[in-house]
Amino acid sequence: MAIGYVALVLHAHLPFVRHPESDYVLEEEWLYEAITETYIPLLKVFEGLKRDGIDFKITMSMTPPLVSMLRDPLLQERYDIHLAQLEELVELEAERNVHNGHIRYLAEHYATEFNEARQLWERYNGDLVTAFKQFQDTNNLEIITCGATHGYLPLMKMYPQAVWAQIQVACEHYEQTFGQAPRGIWLPECAYYEGMERMLADAGLRYFLTDGHGILYARPRPRFGTYAPIFTETGVAAFGRDHESSQQVWSSEVGYPGAAEYREFYKDLGWEAEYEYIKPYIMPNGQRKNTGIKYHKITGRGLGLADKALYDPYWAREKAAEHAANFMYNRERQAEHLHGIMQRPPIIVSPYDAELFGHWWYEGPWFIDYLFRKSWYDQGTYAMTHLADYLKAEPTQQICRPSQSSWGYKGFHEYWLNETNAWIYPHLHKATERMIEIAHLEPEDELQWKALNQAARELLLAQSSDWAFIMRTGTMVPYAVRRTRSHLMRFNKLYEDVKIGKVDSGWLEKVELMDNIFPQINYRVYRPL
């Protein structure tokens, strides 16, 4: 009989990046890389566990922008071409290195990987959302929602209608996609402010995830810390991130992904191959980019990229198994210790970005596979669980008021509000006020109805926390700035057109084609609560 629970929670999210107006935009490859390196490998793991009779339990958010992109025919077609290019390049690499044994071995490893990705992609006709949904239908995977466009909710709280729109539009989109209402929500950036739980309850949500200190500094202070959820006064439960298990995976100092045997992310064929050879497989303008084909391992701390040794998937897989065993051992000891103190089953909530597994940490899907297999066969101390299943099994919890928090730098809001990105918020706030204003209007004709709905889409897209995040990290900043400005400009034009009663139908049609997220949105979601 298990004396504790472990909940592995993955946050699958990418910003809405879709450019039908251009033949090539580098940022669209964020999706293609995640499909090849994270989502397909996770599906392969799930299929293998199911095939072998392992009743695994994992929770995963799938955000509306990600779901929309995964189901978009244009992006599916472009991914197909992207994968074909990878298959062609790795075949060339195997031929080119016929006398270089280790590189050929690695090229053949990638060829097998891309071939398996192709087979899975075609087996589901490019619809990975349906592929994930089948595991929800068997109760192995619990899919939860997020904010409609991953808007940073505490920085919108002065406009409750804006927070409500992020929550309600997400819940409606989830129900349209999965045929049922979501039970839980991953708050964007795990960012919570007091009072938000009332809207979550009104939307029918049962629980949310927040950072550990959001629970630890709750009032009154929770008796069991982050090792049991707390109920808010509305009845919505809050689960807090476990610091210990998070550190073992996330930490750049002591985390598993830094092991010498693992693949080096920053040394890629796209930057290392001779230019004329690699030119057909980089950007159309001739600029180099990552291809995803990487031949070197981390090797050791402090080494420059030139000093990295060749990667070996065999030894990396062995290390992933070792790390999964270590993670399991630590959770066993943690559960035993906590159960002895609490005298009830603790829950250890381990949330991570899904893209860590496979994209950033290439061996991450292997780690997950081994963790579930070892947890199933090699121990009986804890059970893997879904958060909703835990609430059913343990319906009595302490009532507290969580503390304002996020899982960003220093635990609050400054990563999304600082000198690099503060300029966006006066514009977002003004647009929000305008959206609330025009939400009172009743459309005079179908064209105005479309314009009002498109205005709601543009505001939601401008609010994506990804743009502020990118501005702070300093990578791809021009794109993030351009996206913020373009959505705000489109919104303001729509607002002005609606106000004067003269909508530019040709321009609106183009914008609807580009920003086609939430086809069933109703702008009235912005009316006063």
Side-chain angles (χ1 to χ4, degrees):
M1 183 69 180
I3 60 171
Y5 298 93
V6 173
L8 188 64
V9 188
L10 302 184
H11 179 47
H13 166 66
L14 287 170
F16 188 74
V17 178
R18 178 183 177 276
H19 291 279
E21 75 281 9
S22 300
D23 291 334
Y24 179 83
V25 172
L26 176 64
E27 288 77 10
E28 278 190 355
E29 294 196 4
W30 296 344
L31 175 68
Y32 311 150
E33 290 170 355
I35 289 173
T36 306
E37 298 168 358
T38 295
Y39 309 140
I40 285 178
L42 284 175
L43 284 166
K44 284 163 59 181
V45 168
F46 296 169
E47 288 183 344
L49 293 170
K50 196 72 179 168
R51 180 190 63 236
D52 296 341
I54 295 167
D55 189 24
F56 67 97
K57 303 285 185 186
I58 187 168
T59 302
M60 187 167 148
S61 70
M62 293 187 72
T63 68
L66 176 62
V67 168
S68 300
M69 291 188 294
L70 287 175
R71 285 213 149 155
D72 185 80
L74 173 69
L75 294 177
Q76 289 171 339
E77 181 184 332
R78 288 182 174 180
Y79 173 72
D80 204 76
I81 295 166
H82 172 86
L83 182 57
Q85 272 203 313
L86 283 178
E87 291 170 308
E88 182 181 297
L89 175 57
V90 83
E91 193 176 314
L92 278 177
E93 280 293 285
E95 291 172 7
R96 189 170 77 118
N97 291 285
V98 67
H99 299 302
N100 187 343
H102 198 116
I103 298 290
R104 182 177 176 87
Y105 157 62
L106 288 169
E108 289 173 347
H109 165 77
Y110 285 120
T112 300
E113 188 173 88
F114 297 151
N115 180 255
E116 289 176 356
R118 167 71 63 191
Q119 290 177 20
L120 187 144
W121 176 256
E122 292 181 351
R123 189 161 74 250
Y124 292 106
N125 296 314
D127 184 0
L128 299 189
V129 176
T130 294
F132 281 111
K133 182 180 180 297
Q134 70 180 335
F135 295 106
Q136 170 146 290
D137 294 341
T138 59
N139 200 38
N140 296 111
L141 172 66
E142 180 175 11
I143 301 173
I144 61 177
T145 193
C146 189
T149 55
H150 216 264
Y152 198 84
L153 303 181
L155 297 180
M156 300 181 200
K157 69 178 181 178
M158 66 288 290
Y159 302 108
Q161 297 93 328
V163 177
W164 174 249
Q166 283 279 344
I167 295 167
Q168 181 63 14
V169 170
C171 289
E172 289 172 357
H173 185 266
Y174 182 102
E175 193 158 356
Q176 291 154 13
T177 302
F178 297 106
Q180 62 187 63
R183 293 185 288 188
I185 184 169
W186 178 296
L187 295 180
E189 316 296 1
C190 291
Y192 167 83
Y193 69 86
E194 192 170 327
M196 184 195 299
E197 63 274 14
R198 299 192 182 282
M199 293 191 208
L200 301 180
D202 289 344
L205 291 158
R206 186 74 184 86
Y207 66 85
F208 64 93
L209 285 108
T210 187
D211 199 68
H213 64 284
I215 304 296
L216 293 174
Y217 296 119
R219 304 185 307 279
R221 191 159 188 176
R223 182 180 178 191
F224 302 122
T226 58
Y227 300 111
I230 57 175
F231 281 128
T232 63
E233 292 164 347
T234 64
V236 178
F239 287 89
R241 175 166 67 149
D242 169 51
H243 175 74
E244 185 180 326
S245 60
S246 291
Q247 187 183 42
Q248 281 189 280
V249 174
W250 273 123
S251 171
S252 59
E253 298 298 319
V254 299
Y256 299 137
E261 294 85 349
Y262 288 151
R263 191 180 79 163
E264 172 59 60
F265 178 84
Y266 293 102
K267 199 168 170 67
D268 186 280
L269 183 65
W271 298 93
E272 308 227 316
E274 292 177 6
Y275 183 73
E276 289 305 318
Y277 169 76
I278 202 68
K279 189 176 178 183
Y281 305 99
I282 53 178
M283 288 192 260
N285 66 3
Q287 285 185 277
R288 290 180 181 262
K289 68 176 182 69
N290 284 349
T291 62
I293 298 172
K294 306 172 196 289
Y295 291 142
H296 296 82
K297 61 181 179 178
I298 292 170
T299 310
R301 293 188 183 278
L303 291 177
L305 289 179
D307 301 317
K308 303 289 185 177
L310 289 173
Y311 175 66
D312 191 329
Y314 176 85
W315 293 111
R317 188 182 277 275
E318 290 292 302
K319 181 58 72 171
E322 179 187 316
H323 281 153
N326 177 260
F327 190 89
M328 178 187 76
Y329 174 83
N330 287 325
R331 300 295 76 72
E332 286 183 276
R333 303 293 81 80
Q334 198 177 4
E336 288 168 353
H337 173 70
L338 291 166
H339 186 267
I341 296 169
M342 294 167 59
Q343 297 300 306
R344 59 177 286 175
I347 182 167
I348 299 161
V349 180
S350 304
Y352 312 99
D353 279 339
E355 286 72 26
L356 171 67
F357 297 89
H359 177 62
W360 297 106
W361 178 21
Y362 178 69
E363 299 77 11
W366 298 344
F367 170 86
I368 290 176
D369 191 28
Y370 285 126
L371 176 61
F372 277 115
R373 292 175 186 275
K374 289 176 181 295
S375 296
W376 182 257
Y377 287 116
D378 297 349
Q379 63 84 43
T381 306
Y382 65 79
M384 303 293 280
T385 188
H386 296 148
L387 301 180
D389 287 352
Y390 177 86
L391 289 174
K392 284 181 191 172
E394 303 289 335
T396 304
Q397 303 293 344
Q398 189 175 354
I399 298 174
C400 305
R401 292 182 178 179
S403 170
Q404 191 162 178
S405 54
S406 84
W407 76 343
Y409 177 65
K410 296 185 182 178
F412 290 100
H413 312 314
E414 70 175 82
Y415 209 86
W416 295 271
L417 179 60
N418 54 69
E419 68 280 0
T420 68
N421 51 34
W423 64 270
I424 70 177
Y425 293 102
H427 300 288
L428 289 175
H429 292 166
K430 183 64 176 177
T432 301
E433 291 169 4
R434 287 181 154 192
M435 188 67 234
I436 294 167
E437 176 194 342
I438 59 176
H440 290 279
L441 298 177
E442 286 300 329
E444 297 173 1
D445 52 34
E446 187 181 358
L447 187 59
Q448 197 174 56
W449 165 259
K450 287 182 175 182
L452 287 162
N453 286 333
Q454 193 61 35
R457 290 187 192 100
E458 297 301 334
L459 176 56
L460 288 169
L461 288 167
Q463 289 170 335
S464 169
S465 71
D466 301 277
W467 312 136
F469 182 87
I470 291 169
M471 291 173 206
R472 175 63 180 81
T473 60
T475 59
M476 316 296 271
V477 172
Y479 182 77
V481 170
R482 189 164 67 250
R483 285 295 304 273
T484 303
R485 285 178 171 164
S486 65
H487 291 306
L488 285 168
M489 287 170 64
R490 289 171 196 166
F491 171 83
N492 284 321
K493 176 170 170 51
L494 288 162
Y495 168 82
E496 289 159 6
D497 286 1
V498 165
K499 288 289 286 183
I500 63 172
K502 191 176 180 182
V503 175
D504 185 337
S505 60
W507 178 84
L508 174 58
E509 193 174 323
K510 290 177 185 175
V511 173
E512 284 179 319
L513 176 67
M514 287 188 287
D515 299 333
N516 66 346
I517 195 170
F518 308 127
Q520 298 183 51
I521 197 170
N522 187 327
Y523 72 94
R524 296 185 183 98
V525 72
Y526 279 96
R527 288 185 175 178
L529 302 176

PDB file of all heavy atoms in Angstrom, residues 444-463:
ATOM      1  N   GLU A 444     -24.038  45.797 -35.833  1.00  0.00           N
ATOM      2  CA  GLU A 444     -25.087  46.177 -36.771  1.00  0.00           C
ATOM      3  C   GLU A 444     -25.191  45.199 -37.935  1.00  0.00           C
ATOM      4  O   GLU A 444     -26.233  45.099 -38.578  1.00  0.00           O
ATOM      5  CB  GLU A 444     -24.818  47.596 -37.302  1.00  0.00           C
ATOM      6  CG  GLU A 444     -24.856  48.654 -36.201  1.00  0.00           C
ATOM      7  CD  GLU A 444     -24.413  50.019 -36.711  1.00  0.00           C
ATOM      8  OE1 GLU A 444     -24.107  50.119 -37.925  1.00  0.00           O
ATOM      9  OE2 GLU A 444     -24.373  50.965 -35.905  1.00  0.00           O
ATOM     10  N   ASP A 445     -24.102  44.507 -38.227  1.00  0.00           N
ATOM     11  CA  ASP A 445     -24.102  43.531 -39.319  1.00  0.00           C
ATOM     12  C   ASP A 445     -23.000  42.505 -39.062  1.00  0.00           C
ATOM     13  O   ASP A 445     -22.249  42.586 -38.082  1.00  0.00           O
ATOM     14  CB  ASP A 445     -23.874  44.235 -40.672  1.00  0.00           C
ATOM     15  CG  ASP A 445     -22.641  45.137 -40.664  1.00  0.00           C
ATOM     16  OD1 ASP A 445     -21.650  44.790 -39.986  1.00  0.00           O
ATOM     17  OD2 ASP A 445     -22.668  46.196 -41.335  1.00  0.00           O
ATOM     18  N   GLU A 446     -22.886  41.542 -39.962  1.00  0.00           N
ATOM     19  CA  GLU A 446     -21.911  40.453 -39.788  1.00  0.00           C
ATOM     20  C   GLU A 446     -20.482  40.964 -39.820  1.00  0.00           C
ATOM     21  O   GLU A 446     -19.612  40.460 -39.090  1.00  0.00           O
ATOM     22  CB  GLU A 446     -22.107  39.396 -40.877  1.00  0.00           C
ATOM     23  CG  GLU A 446     -21.233  38.158 -40.654  1.00  0.00           C
ATOM     24  CD  GLU A 446     -21.403  37.111 -41.736  1.00  0.00           C
ATOM     25  OE1 GLU A 446     -22.229  37.317 -42.646  1.00  0.00           O
ATOM     26  OE2 GLU A 446     -20.682  36.095 -41.676  1.00  0.00           O
ATOM     27  N   LEU A 447     -20.230  41.987 -40.645  1.00  0.00           N
ATOM     28  CA  LEU A 447     -18.876  42.524 -40.747  1.00  0.00           C
ATOM     29  C   LEU A 447     -18.423  43.125 -39.413  1.00  0.00           C
ATOM     30  O   LEU A 447     -17.289  42.896 -38.975  1.00  0.00           O
ATOM     31  CB  LEU A 447     -18.822  43.582 -41.859  1.00  0.00           C
ATOM     32  CG  LEU A 447     -17.423  44.125 -42.204  1.00  0.00           C
ATOM     33  CD1 LEU A 447     -16.499  43.003 -42.659  1.00  0.00           C
ATOM     34  CD2 LEU A 447     -17.539  45.200 -43.288  1.00  0.00           C
ATOM     35  N   GLN A 448     -19.304  43.863 -38.769  1.00  0.00           N
ATOM     36  CA  GLN A 448     -18.950  44.436 -37.473  1.00  0.00           C
ATOM     37  C   GLN A 448     -18.781  43.343 -36.411  1.00  0.00           C
ATOM     38  O   GLN A 448     -17.902  43.433 -35.551  1.00  0.00           O
ATOM     39  CB  GLN A 448     -20.008  45.453 -37.034  1.00  0.00           C
ATOM     40  CG  GLN A 448     -19.497  46.370 -35.915  1.00  0.00           C
ATOM     41  CD  GLN A 448     -20.474  47.467 -35.567  1.00  0.00           C
ATOM     42  OE1 GLN A 448     -21.626  47.186 -35.243  1.00  0.00           O
ATOM     43  NE2 GLN A 448     -20.027  48.717 -35.625  1.00  0.00           N
ATOM     44  N   TRP A 449     -19.601  42.310 -36.490  1.00  0.00           N
ATOM     45  CA  TRP A 449     -19.469  41.149 -35.586  1.00  0.00           C
ATOM     46  C   TRP A 449     -18.078  40.520 -35.729  1.00  0.00           C
ATOM     47  O   TRP A 449     -17.386  40.251 -34.734  1.00  0.00           O
ATOM     48  CB  TRP A 449     -20.571  40.142 -35.908  1.00  0.00           C
ATOM     49  CG  TRP A 449     -20.395  38.760 -35.330  1.00  0.00           C
ATOM     50  CD1 TRP A 449     -19.954  37.651 -35.979  1.00  0.00           C
ATOM     51  CD2 TRP A 449     -20.669  38.353 -33.988  1.00  0.00           C
ATOM     52  NE1 TRP A 449     -19.935  36.573 -35.123  1.00  0.00           N
ATOM     53  CE2 TRP A 449     -20.368  36.978 -33.891  1.00  0.00           C
ATOM     54  CE3 TRP A 449     -21.142  39.013 -32.850  1.00  0.00           C
ATOM     55  CZ2 TRP A 449     -20.518  36.250 -32.719  1.00  0.00           C
ATOM     56  CZ3 TRP A 449     -21.290  38.291 -31.670  1.00  0.00           C
ATOM     57  CH2 TRP A 449     -20.982  36.927 -31.612  1.00  0.00           C
ATOM     58  N   LYS A 450     -17.652  40.343 -36.964  1.00  0.00           N
ATOM     59  CA  LYS A 450     -16.325  39.775 -37.207  1.00  0.00           C
ATOM     60  C   LYS A 450     -15.218  40.689 -36.679  1.00  0.00           C
ATOM     61  O   LYS A 450     -14.224  40.214 -36.111  1.00  0.00           O
ATOM     62  CB  LYS A 450     -16.119  39.543 -38.709  1.00  0.00           C
ATOM     63  CG  LYS A 450     -16.902  38.369 -39.277  1.00  0.00           C
ATOM     64  CD  LYS A 450     -16.583  38.193 -40.755  1.00  0.00           C
ATOM     65  CE  LYS A 450     -17.252  36.961 -41.326  1.00  0.00           C
ATOM     66  NZ  LYS A 450     -16.902  36.762 -42.751  1.00  0.00           N
ATOM     67  N   ALA A 451     -15.400  41.996 -36.872  1.00  0.00           N
ATOM     68  CA  ALA A 451     -14.394  42.952 -36.415  1.00  0.00           C
ATOM     69  C   ALA A 451     -14.278  42.946 -34.890  1.00  0.00           C
ATOM     70  O   ALA A 451     -13.162  42.996 -34.337  1.00  0.00           O
ATOM     71  CB  ALA A 451     -14.736  44.351 -36.912  1.00  0.00           C
ATOM     72  N   LEU A 452     -15.403  42.876 -34.204  1.00  0.00           N
ATOM     73  CA  LEU A 452     -15.386  42.843 -32.741  1.00  0.00           C
ATOM     74  C   LEU A 452     -14.700  41.573 -32.236  1.00  0.00           C
ATOM     75  O   LEU A 452     -13.901  41.617 -31.284  1.00  0.00           O
ATOM     76  CB  LEU A 452     -16.814  42.940 -32.197  1.00  0.00           C
ATOM     77  CG  LEU A 452     -17.475  44.322 -32.320  1.00  0.00           C
ATOM     78  CD1 LEU A 452     -18.985  44.216 -32.167  1.00  0.00           C
ATOM     79  CD2 LEU A 452     -16.895  45.287 -31.281  1.00  0.00           C
ATOM     80  N   ASN A 453     -14.998  40.439 -32.853  1.00  0.00           N
ATOM     81  CA  ASN A 453     -14.357  39.185 -32.449  1.00  0.00           C
ATOM     82  C   ASN A 453     -12.860  39.194 -32.748  1.00  0.00           C
ATOM     83  O   ASN A 453     -12.054  38.693 -31.957  1.00  0.00           O
ATOM     84  CB  ASN A 453     -15.025  37.994 -33.137  1.00  0.00           C
ATOM     85  CG  ASN A 453     -16.388  37.683 -32.556  1.00  0.00           C
ATOM     86  OD1 ASN A 453     -16.648  37.982 -31.388  1.00  0.00           O
ATOM     87  ND2 ASN A 453     -17.264  37.103 -33.353  1.00  0.00           N
ATOM     88  N   GLN A 454     -12.488  39.790 -33.901  1.00  0.00           N
ATOM     89  CA  GLN A 454     -11.063  39.855 -34.234  1.00  0.00           C
ATOM     90  C   GLN A 454     -10.327  40.788 -33.277  1.00  0.00           C
ATOM     91  O   GLN A 454      -9.172  40.525 -32.924  1.00  0.00           O
ATOM     92  CB  GLN A 454     -10.856  40.307 -35.685  1.00  0.00           C
ATOM     93  CG  GLN A 454      -9.434  40.104 -36.200  1.00  0.00           C
ATOM     94  CD  GLN A 454      -9.017  38.643 -36.196  1.00  0.00           C
ATOM     95  OE1 GLN A 454      -9.825  37.750 -36.439  1.00  0.00           O
ATOM     96  NE2 GLN A 454      -7.755  38.390 -35.897  1.00  0.00           N
ATOM     97  N   ALA A 455     -10.991  41.836 -32.833  1.00  0.00           N
ATOM     98  CA  ALA A 455     -10.376  42.730 -31.843  1.00  0.00           C
ATOM     99  C   ALA A 455     -10.057  41.962 -30.561  1.00  0.00           C
ATOM    100  O   ALA A 455      -8.984  42.135 -29.970  1.00  0.00           O
ATOM    101  CB  ALA A 455     -11.307  43.904 -31.548  1.00  0.00           C
ATOM    102  N   ALA A 456     -10.973  41.101 -30.143  1.00  0.00           N
ATOM    103  CA  ALA A 456     -10.728  40.283 -28.948  1.00  0.00           C
ATOM    104  C   ALA A 456      -9.524  39.364 -29.161  1.00  0.00           C
ATOM    105  O   ALA A 456      -8.676  39.212 -28.268  1.00  0.00           O
ATOM    106  CB  ALA A 456     -11.969  39.474 -28.604  1.00  0.00           C
ATOM    107  N   ARG A 457      -9.426  38.772 -30.343  1.00  0.00           N
ATOM    108  CA  ARG A 457      -8.275  37.900 -30.645  1.00  0.00           C
ATOM    109  C   ARG A 457      -6.965  38.672 -30.582  1.00  0.00           C
ATOM    110  O   ARG A 457      -5.973  38.208 -30.014  1.00  0.00           O
ATOM    111  CB  ARG A 457      -8.423  37.277 -32.042  1.00  0.00           C
ATOM    112  CG  ARG A 457      -9.506  36.253 -32.175  1.00  0.00           C
ATOM    113  CD  ARG A 457      -9.466  35.556 -33.542  1.00  0.00           C
ATOM    114  NE  ARG A 457     -10.692  34.787 -33.723  1.00  0.00           N
ATOM    115  CZ  ARG A 457     -11.739  35.186 -34.448  1.00  0.00           C
ATOM    116  NH1 ARG A 457     -11.690  36.344 -35.092  1.00  0.00           N
ATOM    117  NH2 ARG A 457     -12.813  34.434 -34.524  1.00  0.00           N
ATOM    118  N   GLU A 458      -6.955  39.852 -31.191  1.00  0.00           N
ATOM    119  CA  GLU A 458      -5.714  40.629 -31.255  1.00  0.00           C
ATOM    120  C   GLU A 458      -5.265  41.054 -29.858  1.00  0.00           C
ATOM    121  O   GLU A 458      -4.067  41.026 -29.553  1.00  0.00           O
ATOM    122  CB  GLU A 458      -5.896  41.858 -32.155  1.00  0.00           C
ATOM    123  CG  GLU A 458      -6.191  41.547 -33.604  1.00  0.00           C
ATOM    124  CD  GLU A 458      -5.111  40.729 -34.293  1.00  0.00           C
ATOM    125  OE1 GLU A 458      -3.946  40.786 -33.860  1.00  0.00           O
ATOM    126  OE2 GLU A 458      -5.435  40.013 -35.264  1.00  0.00           O
ATOM    127  N   LEU A 459      -6.197  41.422 -29.008  1.00  0.00           N
ATOM    128  CA  LEU A 459      -5.827  41.796 -27.641  1.00  0.00           C
ATOM    129  C   LEU A 459      -5.255  40.584 -26.905  1.00  0.00           C
ATOM    130  O   LEU A 459      -4.215  40.684 -26.247  1.00  0.00           O
ATOM    131  CB  LEU A 459      -7.031  42.362 -26.891  1.00  0.00           C
ATOM    132  CG  LEU A 459      -6.773  42.711 -25.409  1.00  0.00           C
ATOM    133  CD1 LEU A 459      -5.610  43.683 -25.259  1.00  0.00           C
ATOM    134  CD2 LEU A 459      -8.037  43.270 -24.767  1.00  0.00           C
ATOM    135  N   LEU A 460      -5.923  39.452 -27.011  1.00  0.00           N
ATOM    136  CA  LEU A 460      -5.422  38.247 -26.348  1.00  0.00           C
ATOM    137  C   LEU A 460      -4.011  37.895 -26.822  1.00  0.00           C
ATOM    138  O   LEU A 460      -3.137  37.555 -26.015  1.00  0.00           O
ATOM    139  CB  LEU A 460      -6.372  37.071 -26.605  1.00  0.00           C
ATOM    140  CG  LEU A 460      -7.718  37.111 -25.880  1.00  0.00           C
ATOM    141  CD1 LEU A 460      -8.652  36.043 -26.430  1.00  0.00           C
ATOM    142  CD2 LEU A 460      -7.532  36.909 -24.374  1.00  0.00           C
ATOM    143  N   LEU A 461      -3.781  37.987 -28.127  1.00  0.00           N
ATOM    144  CA  LEU A 461      -2.463  37.649 -28.670  1.00  0.00           C
ATOM    145  C   LEU A 461      -1.401  38.645 -28.211  1.00  0.00           C
ATOM    146  O   LEU A 461      -0.252  38.263 -27.946  1.00  0.00           O
ATOM    147  CB  LEU A 461      -2.520  37.589 -30.196  1.00  0.00           C
ATOM    148  CG  LEU A 461      -3.274  36.376 -30.765  1.00  0.00           C
ATOM    149  CD1 LEU A 461      -3.546  36.555 -32.253  1.00  0.00           C
ATOM    150  CD2 LEU A 461      -2.497  35.082 -30.521  1.00  0.00           C
ATOM    151  N   ALA A 462      -1.756  39.909 -28.095  1.00  0.00           N
ATOM    152  CA  ALA A 462      -0.802  40.917 -27.610  1.00  0.00           C
ATOM    153  C   ALA A 462      -0.435  40.672 -26.152  1.00  0.00           C
ATOM    154  O   ALA A 462       0.671  41.016 -25.712  1.00  0.00           O
ATOM    155  CB  ALA A 462      -1.390  42.314 -27.778  1.00  0.00           C
ATOM    156  N   GLN A 463      -1.349  40.071 -25.385  1.00  0.00           N
ATOM    157  CA  GLN A 463      -1.132  39.868 -23.952  1.00  0.00           C
ATOM    158  C   GLN A 463      -0.226  38.684 -23.628  1.00  0.00           C
ATOM    159  O   GLN A 463       0.130  38.496 -22.455  1.00  0.00           O
ATOM    160  CB  GLN A 463      -2.478  39.656 -23.246  1.00  0.00           C
ATOM    161  CG  GLN A 463      -3.337  40.900 -23.161  1.00  0.00           C
ATOM    162  CD  GLN A 463      -4.738  40.593 -22.670  1.00  0.00           C
ATOM    163  OE1 GLN A 463      -5.227  39.468 -22.818  1.00  0.00           O
ATOM    164  NE2 GLN A 463      -5.387  41.589 -22.081  1.00  0.00           N
TER     165      GLN A 463
END
